[in-house]
Amino acid sequence: MPLKFKRWQDAINKVSLNLKRKQSGSTRGGSFHSDSEEQEGPKQPPVAYENTYQLEPKDHQKFPTKKAEDVIKAIFTSYLSEKKYNSDSSKSLTTQLTEVIRTQVKQELGTQNRYKIVVLVMVGSMQGQGVRCASRCLWYPQFDRFASYTYQNEHLFAVGTVYGVYYE
């Protein structure tokens, strides 16, 4: 028997042994769960998910960079147009902007997407200084995309970047 097959067989045996222990009520390691703690009603069989073997996005599932950029622009404009830079509140502001951008981009993608969304937001004061932003990650340029937008007013600047990393 090949070694790879043996490892899979051992893993399957361990899982089935653990399931048998749970069904028979056997406890291990001193943990005990009474029947009253379990959910009432009929038990449903576990759901088995099949692999789709989808290794690349379909044409209608590509990451919409223009829409993501428009989302960043709209959120920055609505949240930051009247703001002045305050170093004490900048942490909560960047966290709030990041969450709003992430949820909006996920809504644009829909529920049947296969992209992990990473959002980076940086807010700073406008005092005539220069700033360079850089980031690194493993990238598959055929499917992974990003969108970026820079906002400025008299008192602050904001740089927002959304990465759409395809996963299988």
Side-chain angles (χ1 to χ4, degrees), residues 51-58 61 112 114 166-168:
N51 193 345
T52 61
Y53 299 105
Q54 182 178 342
L55 301 177
E56 61 186 49
K58 296 175 182 165
Q61 292 177 332
Q112 296 296 324
R114 292 176 156 252
Y166 185 78
Y167 69 101
E168 301 156 4

Side-chain angles (χ1 to χ4, degrees), residues 11-161:
I12 291 170
N13 290 339
K14 285 181 184 178
V15 169
S16 63
L17 182 63
N18 287 338
L19 286 175
K20 287 178 186 175
R21 283 184 185 155
K22 285 182 182 179
Q23 290 172 352
S24 68
S26 171
T27 60
R28 183 176 173 198
S31 65
F32 175 75
H33 298 287
S34 68
D35 290 336
S36 63
E37 294 176 351
E38 292 180 13
Q39 293 180 351
E40 297 294 325
K43 292 191 177 192
Q44 297 180 2
V47 177
Y49 293 102
E50 294 288 328
N51 193 345
T52 61
Y53 299 105
Q54 182 178 342
L55 301 177
E56 61 186 49
K58 296 175 182 165
D59 288 335
H60 67 278
Q61 292 177 332
K62 303 260 181 176
F63 185 75
T65 56
K66 181 65 176 151
K67 286 182 182 179
E69 190 175 316
D70 292 342
V71 166
I72 301 169
K73 181 179 180 179
I75 290 170
F76 278 178
T77 304
S78 66
Y79 276 75
L80 302 175
S81 61
E82 300 294 323
K83 289 270 187 191
K84 291 186 177 182
Y85 181 75
N86 182 356
S87 61
D88 296 331
S89 65
S90 63
K91 179 180 179 182
S92 62
L93 177 65
T94 56
T95 304
Q96 182 183 17
L97 289 171
T98 301
E99 288 299 316
V100 171
I101 291 170
R102 186 177 62 81
T103 55
Q104 289 285 331
V105 169
K106 281 191 170 190
Q107 284 179 351
E108 286 290 329
L109 285 173
T111 58
Q112 296 296 324
N113 71 62
R114 292 176 156 252
Y115 283 95
K116 290 198 185 264
I117 305 300
V118 180
V119 180
L120 300 175
V121 174
M122 185 174 71
V123 177
S125 65
M126 289 290 283
Q127 295 179 349
Q129 76 278 19
V131 176
R132 290 185 186 215
C133 301
S135 61
R136 290 178 145 187
C137 65
L138 293 175
W139 197 256
Y140 191 55
Q142 206 171 10
F143 307 129
D144 301 339
R145 299 281 187 263
F146 76 96
S148 184
Y149 181 75
T150 304
Y151 176 84
Q152 293 181 4
N153 66 16
E154 295 176 7
H155 307 287
L156 60 83
F157 69 91
V159 179
T161 308

